[in-house]
Amino acid sequence: MKIQSIRKATALRAPAPAWLLTLLLAPTTLLAETITIGKGSGIIWEGLPFSATLQHTGNNGGASESAPLAGIVDSSASSIIASSALMNIGGFRAFPILRNGQPTGVGLVPRTQVNGTFPLVGTSSPTPFSGSIGLPTTSGSYINGYGFQLGLGEPSARAWALTPCVISGICSNFYRSGEPISVTLTGSWVMVADGTQQAASSIALPPMWAVSHASSSSSRINQQILSGGLDLRISTIECTVSAPAIINFGQVGKNLIAHSELSRKSMQAGVNCNQEADGAISVDVNLQFRATSGLYEGNPAWLGVNQGTSGSTPAAAYITGEVSGASGPGTCGAGTGLKFDLSRTRIGHLSNTELLKTFAPQFIWRLCSGGSQLTTGEVNASAEMMVTFN
């Protein structure tokens, strides 16, 4: 199966007690065995969600920048990726995708959230930490035994890694020996391009692993987060997406009955695609959404709402969506509407004889009450909308 896409993001806010929803767009793609991308630069694809939990025991008490607490590598056996192995591609530090040993103008970047605990010397209980690798940045922090927040930095010579020690390569007596270490990495893969990519097929993508080291001298543990055997196809397809940047639900009344509908708004998007006759392909055209403000109660059909215009504190409310004739109903309380977990909703087909085609999906967005804890005032929610091809 081949999948390509175009991307747009979304956010939701409002003045007191108004509510509103915002959307953004950009080019992208998604996959099964072959990922198909087209023209464009910057972020051109996102998908392949992953989750890995690595658990082991601190050993010898040492920490090292070459043996970090959490990292992502392109080999289950090699050392942490050198910073020099990444390239600036489309404005992002990315792992370059090569064809016959030559750069293709395309690269991979993980969008990863990292959290866990480790046994810090001088403390009696597990020390929590959190951070990110790849996008939006590679950075993190933890609180030491004195209550100070310290950074989990990316080592200068290593990329896509978080280590609590960057002092002269090794920090001795850092971990309490024999105590558990737990590291969880969750995220998705992002493909970026610099606009120079040329039409090509069967470009092998490198497998990737999440790794964690128990100490500077112990062997690491790992878990694969990007499988081998995946191919990249670069096509001549180019799509643009137009849609309102903000959907304002306006002022709404407070209803403390869980899953009651507070407001609804309709919206039309335009997806305009073209491809060159030489190398034209046939693809289904889909919509995908990724919740950037979270999911309400973990339901993939309920986009979480936060307090304030840019706040991160959850509000007891959520948004549902549906596409007429393409998705199930997005009624409040149901889980049958659009999904905000990168699931695909087919909106049409582009054949290899169609060099130009426009799609016009019709949306219905609903603002729904979470029940008795429903807040008043400004709120914010966000998601990314992608148009993908498979």
Side-chain angles (χ1 to χ4, degrees), residues 30 46-49 187-189 287-291 339-345 384 386 388:
L30 198 63
E46 182 168 0
L48 300 176
S188 57
W189 287 99
L287 294 178
Q288 288 177 257
F289 289 82
R290 182 176 72 89
K339 303 298 188 294
F340 297 93
D341 62 354
L342 294 176
S343 296
R344 298 190 302 273
T345 299
E384 288 182 338
M386 293 176 279
T388 66

Side-chain angles (χ1 to χ4, degrees), residues 123-388:
T123 63
S124 59
S125 58
T127 297
F129 70 92
S130 62
S132 58
I133 292 177
L135 295 176
T137 62
T138 298
S139 63
S141 64
Y142 67 98
I143 305 296
N144 69 6
Y146 300 98
F148 296 112
Q149 181 169 299
L150 301 177
L152 281 170
E154 181 181 47
S156 59
R158 301 286 186 265
W160 295 353
L162 293 176
T163 178
C165 172
V166 292
I167 304 172
S168 301
I170 296 179
C171 292
S172 61
N173 195 34
F174 189 85
Y175 298 123
R176 297 196 311 272
S177 294
E179 297 290 331
I181 293 175
S182 179
V183 178
T184 298
L185 300 91
T186 58
S188 57
W189 287 99
V190 175
M191 195 165 290
V192 297
D194 61 12
T196 67
Q197 64 269 29
Q198 300 295 314
S201 60
S202 299
I203 303 171
L205 295 179
M208 295 284 180
W209 282 261
V211 299
S212 177
H213 293 78
S215 78
S216 58
S217 61
S218 68
S219 60
R220 73 187 186 190
I221 59 173
N222 59 69
Q223 184 174 332
Q224 195 165 17
I225 56 175
L226 181 63
S227 62
L230 300 176
D231 287 335
L232 170 67
R233 179 180 185 180
I234 303 174
S235 75
T236 64
I237 295 178
E238 185 172 24
C239 295
T240 59
V241 183
S242 60
I246 292 177
I247 301 167
N248 193 335
F249 286 98
Q251 295 188 348
V252 301
K254 189 172 182 179
N255 190 329
L256 300 183
I257 300 175
H259 310 303
S260 59
E261 182 178 309
L262 302 175
S263 182
R264 79 169 68 180
K265 290 290 180 179
S266 298
M267 181 197 88
Q268 179 176 303
V271 180
N272 303 296
C273 299
N274 65 79
Q275 60 180 330
E276 298 173 10
D278 185 13
I281 59 175
S282 295
V283 291
D284 284 335
V285 179
N286 315 295
L287 294 178
Q288 288 177 257
F289 289 82
R290 182 176 72 89
T292 54
S293 61
L295 298 174
Y296 184 72
E297 295 185 344
N299 191 315
W302 298 350
L303 178 64
V305 172
N306 296 320
Q307 298 178 31
T309 56
S310 59
S312 58
T313 302
Y318 61 93
I319 292 171
T320 65
E322 68 178 84
V323 179
S324 300
S327 73
T331 51
C332 293
T336 52
L338 289 173
K339 303 298 188 294
F340 297 93
D341 62 354
L342 294 176
S343 296
R344 298 190 302 273
T345 299
R346 183 182 181 276
I347 60 170
H349 183 80
L350 175 70
S351 76
N352 58 5
T353 61
E354 295 174 310
L355 303 185
L356 295 169
K357 193 166 187 177
T358 297
F359 304 89
Q362 301 285 334
F363 292 84
I364 299 175
W365 301 104
R366 292 177 175 87
L367 178 64
C368 307
S369 173
S372 61
Q373 301 303 310
L374 178 67
T375 60
T376 58
E378 298 178 349
V379 294
N380 175 282
S382 59
E384 288 182 338
M385 181 177 77
M386 293 176 279
V387 179
T388 66

Side-chain angles (χ1 to χ4, degrees), residues 19-105:
W19 308 67
L20 65 92
L21 172 68
T22 317
L23 297 165
L24 309 173
L25 293 132
T28 302
T29 314
L30 198 63
L31 94 66
E33 295 177 355
T34 298
I35 298 174
T36 303
I37 64 172
K39 298 178 180 180
S41 61
I43 295 177
I44 59 169
W45 172 90
E46 182 168 0
L48 300 176
F50 62 82
S51 180
T53 297
L54 309 173
Q55 296 177 323
H56 51 158
T57 302
N59 186 23
N60 296 333
S64 165
E65 70 168 24
S66 62
L69 182 62
I72 294 177
V73 300
D74 64 327
S75 169
S76 61
S78 71
S79 62
I80 297 297
I81 295 173
S83 294
S84 59
L86 300 187
M87 296 177 60
N88 188 330
I89 301 175
F92 299 89
R93 292 176 66 220
F95 190 88
I97 304 302
L98 305 179
R99 183 171 186 254
N100 299 325
Q102 299 300 312
T104 59

